[in-house]
Amino acid sequence: MKRFERTAVTLNDAFDCFAGQHLPAGAPATLVQQLRALASMHTVPRRQMTTLDVTRDHLVFVAHGPTKLVAFDPAGEGQIVAFQFCGDCLTLPREGLYTYRLVAIRAASLLVFEAEALRALERRAPMLNEVLARCSLAALQRTRANLVAMGRRSATERVASFLLSMREIEQVAQADGRTLTLEMTRKEIADCLGLTVETVSRQFSKLRDLGLIATPSRTQVRLSDPVRLAAQAGAFAPAA
Amino acid sequence: MKRFERTAVTLNDAFDCFAGQHLPAGAPATLVQQLRALASMHTVPRRQMTTLDVTRDHLVFVAHGPTKLVAFDPAGEGQIVAFQFCGDCLTLPREGLYTYRLVAIRAASLLVFEAEALRALERRAPMLNEVLARCSLAALQRTRANLVAMGRRSATERVASFLLSMREIEQVAQADGRTLTLEMTRKEIADCLGLTVETVSRQFSKLRDLGLIATPSRTQVRLSDPVRLAAQAGAFAPAA
DNA sequence: CGCCCTATTGATCTGAGTCAAATTATGTGG
DNA sequence: CCACATAATTTGACTCAGATCAATAGGGCG
């Protein structure tokens, strides 16, 4: 439960965080050095998207700040594919049928590897295999889970489970452990959940009327009754 | 009259097919032999699902016959995650939040590898890395594309793009190149697209009334006007 | 204070789900 | 080959969740 509070994360900090979470303990120092040399640091301001070479695949480690992976179709419509949080790894594929971009929900620090270079290193250091395989498998799992979730859930289920999963993730909760600060507008939440602003707003009102949440300010939400809230979230209550 | 099933794909046939498509040309014979020893052959009758050990991950190569990957939530509801066709590889994860099963749309032949054994072999033969990495990446791409498609598409868009993508895939098209034989019931199509039978049926009727398709029999569909059909499919018109 | 942006609330509209019934294949046994 | 049983498909009538359109109410800040 280490949290990365600092806003200015250096490459080395981020890399250490990455190494600690994803590299096996017995990794030789030279390999770690080689990897570090491949990493580049990107700081993405709130609501901005990454500006990476879209003709190449990248592996991205989210060192700090929540991000979302958005797919843009040829018509320029964006659709959220997945969320990533501090500590997650993801593959950012090159431009294809869709153009994928990583968007920072709040200011984010990313450790970026060019996939081709990584593969080359991997050939020389097979130890990396499992690391990378685990990353893509995890990403696949997340995306599949997301797909299922996206399938046929009601607006209430979406909003309730969104709030609960935010609580899981955000350690920015207040002392009472129930109040969280969403640094997102209703519009952003709506996009995340595939709903409209109005529907999200109505769901907030409904949950407030039911006494399950309170909204002291525009950005703060207090989960007054997490248990009944989880009931509203339906089958997809976060595993806690 | 049952469509004649090209039965009895042998393990060796299937493996050769796999090797041809996924193994690099320069793979040493001994490695190929080792891999072959890990493969097991599964023939899944139409509409049946795989019965694999759900406590283990598997890598599956679809040697013959279209299949779908279905996720069952704790309540037993199934949701389609992806389609695979002849030549595709996919990861079938062990039981977790969801239980994943591979369902044969028509009779299918699968080449199954136990993931742990494969990883062990991979450690000794790093050449496999790229093969497996490419597989998971492809699976991730498919799933992400599916997620986007699932996002906010109307029933008409879904059905139109479904028909067009079936044309891409099915080589069972008649001589005129426009008539295809769907070996799926409306129910199965509906599940695939996250719709109900009735809605699918209505969409077929609508497209028929518009003169874009014709339905000579229950299972046959002729794409009379693929261009206008693609227009109905919206932004997600299959590339080709 | 007035401006602009976000959020809420209300009034309709609409697409797809649901329920129910009619219609058409696909068998099956005689 | 026919009659009947059964399953698959189509169609119609109705409902409802969520989108859309439109108006109102707060902030934050110059």
Side-chain angles (χ1 to χ4, degrees), chain A residues 72-85:
Chain A
F72 292 90
D73 66 18
E77 284 296 305
Q79 160 85 39
I80 302 222
V81 174
F83 285 97
Q84 295 77 219
F85 300 94

Side-chain angles (χ1 to χ4, degrees), chain B residues 88-190:
Chain B
D88 284 342
C89 255
L90 77 151
T91 301
L92 194 58
R94 74 163 81 73
E95 194 158 39
L97 178 50
Y98 302 103
T99 305
Y100 291 94
R101 303 233 184 231
L102 203 57
V103 180
I105 291 173
R106 295 203 295 273
S109 305
L110 311 175
L111 203 59
V112 178
F113 299 90
E114 201 276 297
E116 205 41 69
L118 210 53
R119 273 182 220 124
L121 179 56
E122 195 183 3
R123 248 166 257 138
R124 284 178 287 129
M127 177 180 254
L128 283 179
N129 296 343
E130 300 210 30
V131 176
L132 300 179
R134 228 193 329 267
C135 281
S136 19
L137 215 49
L140 185 56
Q141 300 290 54
R142 276 200 304 266
T143 308
R144 281 178 176 170
N146 216 326
L147 178 59
V148 175
M150 209 59 167
R152 301 233 221 175
R153 287 165 60 235
S154 70
T156 308
E157 288 171 326
R158 291 178 204 221
V159 171
S161 64
F162 170 79
L163 288 174
L164 288 167
S165 64
M166 276 302 156
R167 183 186 55 160
E168 303 278 304
I169 283 142
E170 298 285 322
Q171 284 85 357
V172 272
Q174 279 352 26
D176 67 359
R178 302 189 153 183
T179 304
L180 49 93
T181 305
L182 303 174
E183 303 259 4
M184 305 164 72
T185 67
R186 297 284 185 270
K187 176 78 174 73
E188 287 174 302
I189 298 173

Side-chain angles (χ1 to χ4, degrees), chain B residues 22-72:
Chain B
H22 292 279
L23 294 184
T30 63
L31 174 58
V32 175
Q33 281 311 322
Q34 286 175 305
L35 258 181
R36 190 189 303 254
L38 290 184
S40 72
M41 186 70 196
H42 289 247
T43 305
V44 184
R46 184 168 187 213
R47 262 163 242 198
Q48 298 297 297
M49 52 175 76
T50 50
T51 53
L52 296 170
D53 180 352
V54 289
T55 67
R56 291 161 179 280
D57 294 334
H58 295 274
L59 183 83
V60 180
F61 170 75
V62 180
H64 174 251
T67 61
K68 58 187 183 187
L69 179 63
V70 184
F72 292 90

